[in-house]
Structures are given as structure tokens and as C-alpha cells.
């Protein structure tokens, strides 16, 4: 979902995905929305992704550039005018260490450890950072 909300294009969420609704074989391929029984953690995650996307203009038609695509790590930047953002998803076995400037703003993170000016993205972790001017 981190990639879905930060890659070029418009994120498309099939109804109920944000609530943890599962799809099965016909005729149970999509049941009624689970009002009152939503996966609240998942709803909060989707809400956070939406807020991160809306808060940074780089995701509104910004240019795309791949930084890294190897060993289970995928990282890219989006740039629009003076607004820049970086997304990193780590599906590899090794942690990825990012050095942050004092002007960088972490918009969303999962499975990360942050210390002062560095951020360690653990396996199955992700981060979206609005990059400040160096």
C-alpha cells in the first residue's frame, strides 16, 4: 500500500480493502462492508497514507526517479518544483540505514528505528520522507 500511495498515478482502493475485508471464491468474493468490525489498525494505516500523500505536492504529478531496486529494496524519489519526497520499501533480509538532514520530514514509517539523524528501515519496513533542502 505504501507503493500504491506514492508511485505515479492515483491510488485505487477496492471497497473494503482499507477495513481488512477479504475476497474469496464466488459467491463470497466480496461480502458486505464490516461496519463496526473494521480492522482499526488497517483503517488508521490507510488514513496515514492518504494524509502523507496529500501533505506533499511531489505526489501530485511529480517526476519519478528510481534510486534503488535490488535485494528486496525498492527506493525512489518524486519531485515537483521545490517539493521532493522519497519512498523506500524494504522486503529484503538486511536493514537499510538512511541518513536524514535536519530539514527532512518523515511522513509515514512502519518497522523502522529512528535515532537523531538516521533511520533504520528493518525487513518488511517502509518509509515516506519529505526531503528538505540540504
Amino acid at each position: 500500500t505504501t507503493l500504491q500511495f506514492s508511485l505515479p498515478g492515483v491510488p485505487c482502493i477496492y471497497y473494503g480493502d482499507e477495513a481488512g475485508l477479504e475476497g474469496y471464491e464466488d459467491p463470497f468474493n466480496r461480502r458486505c462492508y464490516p461496519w463496526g468490525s473494521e480492522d482499526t489498525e488497517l483503517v488508521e494505516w490507510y488514513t496515514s497514507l492518504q494524509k502523507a500523500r496529500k501533505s506533499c505536492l511531489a505526489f501530485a504529478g511529480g517526476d519519478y526517479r528510481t534510486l534503488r531496486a535490488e535485494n528486496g529494496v525498492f527506493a525512489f524519489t518524486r519531485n515537483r518544483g521545490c517539493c521532493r519526497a522519497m519512498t523506500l520499501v524494504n522486503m529484503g533480509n538486511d536493514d537499510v540505514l538512511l541518513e536524514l538532514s535536519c530539514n527532512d520530514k518523515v511522513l509515514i514509517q512502519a518497522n523502522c528505528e529512528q535515532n537523531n539523524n538516521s533511520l533504520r528501515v528493518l525487513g518488511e519496513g517502509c518509509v515516506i520522507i519529505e526531503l528538505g533542502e540540504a
Side-chain angles (χ1 to χ4, degrees):
T1 55
T2 303
L3 296 175
Q4 183 180 22
F5 275 78
S6 56
L7 282 167
V10 177
C12 181
I13 304 167
Y14 190 67
Y15 115 96
D17 285 349
E18 75 285 2
L21 195 59
E22 295 180 4
Y24 298 102
E25 298 288 323
D26 243 351
F28 305 109
N29 51 356
R30 197 51 84 151
R31 296 184 175 167
C32 296
Y33 190 87
W35 294 108
S37 299
E38 297 93 342
D39 179 336
T40 55
E41 188 176 318
L42 193 55
V43 171
E44 288 173 14
W45 176 251
Y46 272 90
T47 301
S48 297
L49 284 168
Q50 178 187 15
K51 287 179 181 176
R53 182 178 172 86
K54 283 185 167 185
S55 73
C56 183
L57 291 176
F59 297 116
D63 295 334
Y64 166 90
R65 184 174 144 239
T66 300
L67 299 175
R68 182 174 172 186
E70 62 186 7
N71 301 324
V73 177
F74 184 50
F76 58 90
T77 57
R78 298 285 304 275
N79 302 300
R80 184 174 185 207
C82 62
C83 190
R84 302 177 326 132
M86 182 188 72
T87 299
L88 185 140
V89 175
N90 183 7
M91 294 304 295
N93 296 320
D94 299 325
D95 298 348
V96 176
L97 184 65
L98 298 173
E99 296 297 323
L100 303 174
S101 81
C102 60
N103 297 322
D104 292 343
K105 180 181 176 186
V106 176
L107 299 177
I108 193 166
Q109 64 177 330
N111 209 24
C112 297
E113 297 173 353
Q114 189 167 355
N115 297 313
N116 297 329
N117 295 332
S118 67
L119 183 72
R120 183 176 305 279
V121 184
L122 308 174
E124 297 187 12
C126 60
V127 64
I128 299 175
I129 302 169
E130 185 172 358
L131 302 170
E133 294 187 26

